[in-house]
Structure formats: C-alpha cells, structure tokens
Amino acid sequence: MTDPVIGVLALQGDVREHLIALAAADAVARPVRRPEELAEVDGLVIPGGESTTISKLAVLFGVMEPLRARVRAGMPVYGTCAGMIMLADKILDPRSGQETIGGIDMIVRRNAFGRQNESFEAEVDVRGVPGHPVEGVFIRAPWVESVGAEVEVLAEHDGHIVAVRQGTALATSFHPELTGDHRVHSLFVDMVRANRTAESL
Ligand code: GLN
C-alpha cells in the first residue's frame, strides 16, 4: 500500500515540527485547516500550542464539527500537549469559550506540570514504543487526571498519566516532535496503516 496521508491541524502551534516528524516516519504529511482538507486525510495530528486558541480557531474555521464527526467515525488522531487537551472528553479549569473535540474518555488538567515547573525534560517509558525510553519534553504540560475503562495508559511520569490510547486515538502530554526521535510518530503512523487495512477489508 502507498504511504498513508496524515494531516496536521494547522490553526496554531508547532505544526511544522509534526510535518517533519511524520514525513520521517514514512507518512505523506500535510497541513489541514478546512473541512475539505480534513476529508482527504487518513489520520490527523493535533499539535502542541495553546488549546484555547486552537479551540476558538477551529470553531471560526468551521472545522470543529467536522473534526468531531471524523473522530467519532474512528479516524486515527494523535494529540500532543494542547492536542491532548483537545482530545479530552472533559477538561478541568477550561478557559471561557474553550471547547474540545473529545474522543478519549479522560479528564485532563491543563498546565498541570506548569505550576511547579514551566518546562522540563524527562525520560518516559512509553508502552508500544520499542527500545530505550523517549525523551519527554514537557512545556506547560497537562496531565491526565483520570481515565475511563476503555482507555489504555501508555506512560506515567511522577505518578501522573502522560500518555494514553483509546482505540484509534493517541495522546501525549509531551512533545516527541521536538526531539528528532520519531518513534512515537512511527507508532501513530502504524495505527493509521492498521486502520486503513481494517477499513479496506
Ligand atoms: N498549556 C497549553 C494549553 O493549555 C499547552 C501547552 C503546550 O501545548 N505546550 O493549551
């Protein structure tokens, strides 16, 4: 099969870094802003940035409802940091007007690590990522406060959940796109390939 086409939601945040990481992980990567562009991808990354801004721009660009519909229909999605917040069914302390796409049955606390520490790096052992631990870059990062029964916890840091998967949805509190290590992106590209195969059967 040809390489899967994976979009990066390009409203705000570190879009370019994800495009580079996806291309390095053998996907055809392209920015997505409009519903027509969303319709053409096999999977989508929601980058790090500022979740309130991403939320407001998604509504403004008319892409919020199409995003929800595709995630509900099982399109593979991967959210990093602000992207993780966007995939949470529920967030603690949302800013006013902040909506999420949802898709993962979890409660996420925004800026959870940020209060003690603006930004830090730590080794994180991520289930499903072979080899040595991943270098986790945490930038005003959220953590997952609690998860529903369908959610698989892939990693924890300091007793807090920082990576999860529910079906075709993946989320990390940290930013693998900033490290040059593409193993988490490869895991996601594999999820997209598996989903394409399942859909074509
Ligand atoms: N704290 C940010 C938010 O609430 C997320 C930070 C990030 O993506 N690096 O959206």
Side-chain angles (χ1 to χ4, degrees):
M1 258 205 240
T2 52
D3 289 340
V5 178
I6 302 186
V8 179
L9 189 63
L11 300 171
Q12 190 266 339
D14 66 340
V15 176
R16 201 174 143 263
E17 289 77 1
H18 275 292
L19 291 170
I20 292 167
L22 287 167
D26 294 329
V28 177
R30 49 168 88 145
V32 163
R33 277 182 205 88
R34 296 195 308 261
E36 310 84 82
E37 293 164 338
L38 178 63
E40 287 172 3
V41 298
D42 300 311
L44 186 74
V45 167
I46 304 168
E50 213 292 306
S51 56
T52 316
T53 308
I54 295 175
S55 161
K56 288 186 174 155
L57 290 174
V59 172
L60 207 66
F61 275 72
V63 78
M64 185 63 108
E65 278 312 320
L67 280 166
R68 288 184 177 134
R70 282 219 62 193
V71 170
R72 259 199 310 272
M75 173 186 68
V77 277
Y78 171 32
T80 61
C81 202
M84 168 188 259
I85 297 169
M86 290 300 293
L87 291 178
D89 282 353
K90 189 165 185 291
I91 50 182
L92 294 172
D93 58 25
R95 298 248 295 266
S96 74
Q98 177 165 17
E99 298 178 33
T100 71
I101 299 164
I104 302 183
D105 181 10
M106 61 179 174
I107 301 175
V108 166
R109 184 180 290 278
R110 296 180 58 225
N111 301 332
F113 288 110
R115 279 184 214 115
Q116 302 100 11
N117 230 331
E118 280 289 300
S119 171
F120 63 96
E121 293 184 20
E123 293 205 331
V124 185
D125 230 325
V126 184
R127 235 152 283 158
V129 173
H132 57 89
V134 166
E135 189 60 32
V137 179
F138 293 82
I139 304 168
R140 291 190 67 77
W143 71 47
V144 180
E145 196 88 10
S146 64
V147 293
E150 303 292 305
V151 179
E152 193 187 345
V153 173
L154 301 183
E156 295 186 41
H157 174 73
D158 258 359
H160 300 290
I161 301 169
V162 294
V164 292
R165 176 176 176 173
Q166 180 176 1
T168 53
L170 177 71
T172 60
S173 299
F174 50 91
H175 294 269
E177 73 280 12
L178 300 180
T179 62
D181 174 353
H182 308 304
R183 288 176 297 155
V184 178
H185 286 78
S186 291
L187 169 68
F188 180 60
V189 174
D190 286 347
M191 286 167 60
V192 177
R193 281 184 199 280
N195 188 62
R196 263 200 335 175
T197 308
E199 281 184 341
S200 67
L201 288 179

